[in-house]
Amino acid sequence: MEAFTPIPATIGGLLIGLAAAILWVGNGRIAGISGIFGRLLPPDGSVAWRIVFLVALVVGTWGTAQLFPGLGVGGPGGEPAQLVAAPEGWTLGTPLWLAIAGLLIGFGTKISNGCTSGHGINGLARLSVRSIVAVAIFFSVAIITVTLTGVV
Amino acid sequence: MRRDIPYYVTAAVAGLIFGAGLYVSQMIDAYKVLHFLDFTAIPTGGWDPSLAFVMVGGLVVMVLTYRLFARQQAPLFDKSFYPPALTKVDTQLVVGATLFGIGWGMSGICPGPGIALIAFAPENLLVLLLAMFAGSYAGTFVVPGGREKRLALAQ
């Protein structure tokens, strides 16, 4: 198996879980990232904490990379972080590929009300039927998409 | 809406730790995620199961958290919890999850890592994030806005 990193993966997952626990127990909010940024517009009176959370998220990623360089991509001593290049059969360029992906991610998570953190971690943990269905669908569709597109 | 300092400190601390987790787990590495989603790599030895371990780590903590705090009436710094308003599986859930799955499979990036990558600003991130925000905003014309409307829908 290539590049399998069970220990950092588990520790990272525990940290994400801890973050979600703090947000829930402290503020009563679900740490689902698509929802946290998705409800910035139109603004509904909860914009301030969302901005605080999202800025802190970026700082947390950046800061941890400074403190623990070389865990993989990002930060000093690591490989440069990069997005994918469009697969070989796609002739319209990588930016358009990524723009389409972004539109689908944004629209899809908004109308299904969650993503890998919202449905995948919080929803499954609450045994939400909606989340079980959502996770089953987006994982299997993503897997099929990778196979069909040959992006890796 | 005015809230106290501890509310914002909580949001900040949660955000920091979430961001730390995304780096440590390397979910910000689109190729690492894609090497999990690429099941065709299982027979050829290129498959990376790490993502499953990330999910398990997060789930263990949240399952425990929801159990431990199931009887709490309110969070520490607000008057009530905000669980999801909708409870039934509906067309928008199924369609939305499908579309998200396609976008995730195309890029190996989901919302959390997308935002976290602002820290490292890879090429084309701006295009991806602008599109993500645009797509999310477009979705607000499909689903009802505001918690009251959603709660009313769920009845």
Side-chain angles (χ1 to χ4, degrees):
Chain A
M1 286 179 204
E2 213 156 276
F4 177 35
T5 54
I7 294 176
T10 305
I11 294 173
L14 290 171
L15 287 171
I16 292 170
L18 177 62
I22 289 170
L23 195 66
W24 178 253
V25 174
N27 294 357
R29 295 282 184 170
I30 292 192
I33 306 301
S34 70
I36 293 180
F37 79 75
R39 303 210 174 137
L40 288 172
L41 274 180
D44 66 352
S46 64
V47 166
W49 78 260
R50 296 175 190 283
I51 303 270
V52 168
F53 178 94
L54 293 172
V55 170
L57 191 157
V58 177
V59 171
T61 292
W62 181 86
T64 311
Q66 309 305 308
L67 290 172
F68 300 98
L71 280 183
V73 308
E79 308 266 315
Q82 48 179 323
L83 298 177
V84 294
E88 264 181 40
W90 179 260
T91 52
L92 301 174
T94 291
L96 185 60
W97 177 265
L98 292 171
I100 293 170
L103 284 170
L104 291 169
I105 292 165
F107 188 78
T109 54
K110 169 58 77 169
I111 72 170
S112 63
N113 201 34
C115 58
T116 48
S117 49
H119 281 306
I121 294 189
N122 288 270
L124 290 185
R126 303 161 57 85
L127 299 176
S128 153
V129 174
R130 279 178 56 93
S131 294
I132 291 166
V133 170
V135 170
I137 293 175
F138 65 65
F139 262 93
S140 43
V141 170
I143 288 164
I144 293 167
T145 301
V146 172
T147 303
L148 291 179
T149 59
V151 68
V152 287
Chain B
M1 192 178 293
R2 285 213 52 193
R3 295 197 211 269
D4 297 326
I5 300 284
Y7 187 88
Y8 292 104
V9 171
T10 300
V13 170
L16 280 170
I17 297 176
F18 202 110
L22 287 175
Y23 167 72
V24 172
S25 65
Q26 285 287 297
M27 293 294 91
I28 51 169
D29 181 350
Y31 285 101
K32 190 172 184 69
V33 172
L34 289 168
H35 287 132
F36 171 85
L37 294 171
D38 181 16
F39 274 24
T40 68
I42 295 177
T44 62
W47 188 55
D48 183 347
S50 300
L51 192 153
F53 284 68
V54 182
M55 297 294 298
V56 169
L59 279 170
V60 163
V61 174
M62 280 319 285
V63 168
L64 279 171
T65 300
Y66 282 124
R67 286 178 144 249
L68 278 171
F69 294 93
R71 299 239 181 76
Q72 282 301 102
Q73 299 289 10
L76 293 170
F77 307 119
D78 202 350
K79 294 197 202 83
S80 62
F81 288 101
Y82 288 79
L86 300 173
T87 51
K88 301 204 190 85
V89 174
D90 55 22
T91 310
Q92 288 165 346
L93 181 83
V94 173
V95 171
T98 302
L99 296 177
F100 167 48
I102 297 172
W104 192 32
M106 285 172 71
S107 64
I109 293 291
C110 58
I115 291 178
L117 280 171
I118 293 172
F120 307 124
E123 192 184 358
N124 292 319
L125 183 68
L126 189 60
V127 167
L128 180 74
L129 288 179
L130 285 177
M132 206 169 73
F133 285 111
S136 180
Y137 185 64
T140 63
F141 295 99
V142 174
V143 295
R147 189 162 180 80
E148 292 73 31
K149 277 198 225 158
R150 289 194 297 272
L151 282 168
L153 248 196
Q155 299 311 318

